[in-house]
Amino acid sequence: MKKKNFKTITSLMLAGALVFSSIGNAIACTALIVTDVNGNAYHGRTLEFSFPVPTLMTYFPAGTKIESVTPAGVQGVTFNTKYAILGMTAAVTTGAKQPLIDEGANDQGLSFSGNELNDLTAPPLGDDASKILSLNDFGAWVLGNFKTVAEVKTALLTDNTEFWLPPIPMMGGAPLPLHYAIFDKAGNGLVVEFINGKKNVYDNPVGVMTNAPEFPWHLTNLNNYTFTNVNKNTGQLGKQKLQTADAGIALTALPSAQTATGRFVKAAFYTNYVRKGKNPEDAINLLAHIMNNFDRPQDLTIDPPGGVGDGPRGSKFSSEVTEWTTMNDLARNLTFVKSINALNWTVIDMNKLKDVQQVKSVSTYAVDQAGADAFNLFYK
């Protein structure tokens, strides 16, 4: 994409982002991964917001130059991506030279999700600007440089790259409020959080991430849910024999709330117990059924003026809805997209984008209206 066009899109998206500061600003996300019987991984994710989000689906060809900036506005980490990237992007940081990748995958089967987590602080920075990376560019750094979760983890556990949290105008100038789930096509998972001035890197044993509180709390909370998916359909109280009228009682104790803590438990239950697909088509179909359980229509819940949730609130009633959902078949480099405006999935085959030589962006909502296969949008 020519720089002039990119600057125009950036300006429009920043202008749209400023609109959010006057209304409800809650963001809720559910990211999870399932595997098929052959061990291939499939990554699903929803994004909830209380207003239509002006996101783009952006393709970054291999060799794209990424230029990060430091808090002082000088050039920080700079690199050319080794791998092609396709993901959901948004221009939310003033002064950034490329949009933030909130959700995406590369052509090596590594995926990335940024989910909201507030009140973050990163470690102190050193004096070498060339080692400093704005977290606006964290998704590009992860997907542009690494093929597996193990490679990402090794890089994060060194001090070769230092990270800082840029302020976000749409969030009232708060530091970028995201923590990150990273998965690879073998089903390995990693969570990264910048909390209390520390860089925290966790293995993800359940393949799930939602929002607050921090990831270790969610894992501890799972100890409260030791039941399985096996229905216990009969019982007895005194002399009264009991029998359920139908199946499904095993789910009685699953949280029904759409809070981050409730969604984490439900997502962990689904990913653990739902049958594994026999082949990729079967697996992606099963994943779509799982993701449907995290799809929130308009006014399912309503937040009054001044309410407190995942993000700052405005002076009007708001309702978090699922603006879009994505699924990634990480072995085949397929991305499935569906927004709140669509009933069916659109698929983009990243393998068909190899002739796209420049960064190219398409509206998220144009993608899901393009029909079953939307890769041609990136050639217009």
Side-chain angles (χ1 to χ4, degrees):
M1 177 181 290
K2 295 180 180 178
K3 284 190 174 181
K4 181 178 179 181
N5 291 338
F6 177 73
K7 289 180 179 178
T8 299
I9 290 173
T10 301
S11 299
L12 288 172
M13 293 187 70
L14 281 172
L18 293 174
V19 175
F20 299 143
S21 63
S22 63
I23 60 174
N25 254 353
I27 305 174
C29 310
T30 302
L32 56 87
I33 196 167
V34 297
T35 55
D36 63 21
V37 296
N38 297 310
N40 297 315
Y42 306 82
H43 172 197
R45 185 258 173 86
T46 68
L47 180 136
E48 282 71 42
F49 209 88
S50 51
F51 189 82
V53 183
T55 47
L56 301 174
M57 176 160 271
T58 301
Y59 178 70
F60 301 82
T64 298
K65 187 174 185 179
I66 303 297
E67 299 177 272
S68 200
V69 297
T70 72
V74 301
Q75 184 167 297
V77 169
T78 301
F79 61 93
N80 293 326
T81 61
K82 298 177 183 176
Y83 312 115
I85 303 167
L86 179 66
M88 296 294 199
T89 63
V92 297
T93 306
T94 303
K97 296 186 178 182
Q98 49 275 320
L100 175 146
I101 298 175
D102 186 53
E103 172 70 30
N106 66 19
D107 60 4
Q108 303 299 305
L110 187 71
S111 67
F112 176 92
S113 287
N115 292 15
E116 183 168 352
L117 182 66
N118 294 314
D119 302 320
L120 304 180
T121 54
L125 300 173
D127 296 326
D128 186 351
S130 67
K131 295 174 63 175
I132 297 174
L133 183 87
S134 167
L135 284 170
N136 179 85
D137 309 312
F138 188 52
W141 182 78
V142 169
L143 298 176
N145 288 302
F146 306 107
K147 296 188 291 185
T148 65
V149 159
E151 290 181 1
V152 178
K153 184 177 181 180
T154 297
L156 286 169
L157 293 180
T158 70
D159 294 322
N160 294 334
T161 305
E162 300 174 358
F163 304 93
W164 72 283
L165 295 160
I168 306 301
M170 67 179 283
M171 303 298 287
L176 182 65
L178 297 176
H179 60 165
Y180 308 94
I182 302 164
F183 301 109
D184 63 28
K185 63 184 178 183
N188 303 301
L190 201 68
V191 170
V192 183
E193 296 178 338
F194 296 89
I195 298 177
N196 298 324
K198 295 181 180 179
K199 175 181 61 181
N200 301 283
V201 181
Y202 306 107
D203 292 324
N204 190 341
V206 293
V208 170
M209 190 178 77
T210 56
N211 306 101
E214 59 273 15
F215 184 68
W217 186 98
H218 286 289
L219 294 182
T220 300
N221 184 49
L222 290 179
N223 290 311
N224 295 310
Y225 301 91
T226 55
F227 55 90
T228 72
N229 64 332
V230 178
N231 292 316
K232 188 177 185 301
N233 293 323
T234 61
Q236 186 166 332
L237 291 173
K239 296 181 180 180
Q240 178 69 31
K241 292 186 177 181
L242 310 175
Q243 182 173 319
T244 63
D246 52 18
I249 198 169
L251 306 182
T252 299
L254 275 184
S256 61
Q258 288 286 1
T259 60
T261 53
R263 286 182 282 110
F264 192 99
V265 173
K266 286 189 289 188
F269 195 92
Y270 276 102
T271 58
N272 186 74
Y273 288 117
V274 169
R275 183 180 301 174
K276 293 182 181 295
K278 298 177 182 178
N279 52 55
E281 289 76 16
D282 192 23
I284 206 73
N285 180 58
L286 287 166
L287 178 58
H289 283 288
I290 292 174
M291 300 312 299
N292 285 342
N293 290 275
F294 301 93
D295 192 349
R296 298 167 68 173
Q298 293 280 0
D299 295 341
L300 177 64
T301 63
I302 297 175
D303 295 296
V308 177
D310 288 323
R313 303 286 183 171
S315 58
K316 300 180 180 179
F317 281 88
S318 61
S319 176
E320 285 189 18
V321 302
T322 302
E323 290 295 335
W324 46 257
T325 305
T326 61
M327 301 188 298
N328 285 290
D329 179 335
L330 297 177
R332 297 190 296 170
N333 295 329
L334 301 179
T335 298
F336 296 78
V337 183
K338 180 176 67 173
S339 87
I340 193 171
N341 302 318
L343 177 64
N344 297 316
W345 296 91
T346 293
V347 63
I348 299 174
D349 185 344
M350 204 188 315
N351 301 304
K352 295 180 179 180
L353 301 182
K354 292 181 178 180
D355 292 331
V356 179
Q357 300 298 316
Q358 296 179 312
V359 176
K360 174 75 174 184
S361 295
V362 178
S363 166
T364 304
Y365 306 96
V367 168
D368 75 12
Q369 295 296 325
D373 192 338
F375 81 95
N376 283 317
L377 290 174
F378 291 87
Y379 285 97
K380 291 184 178 180

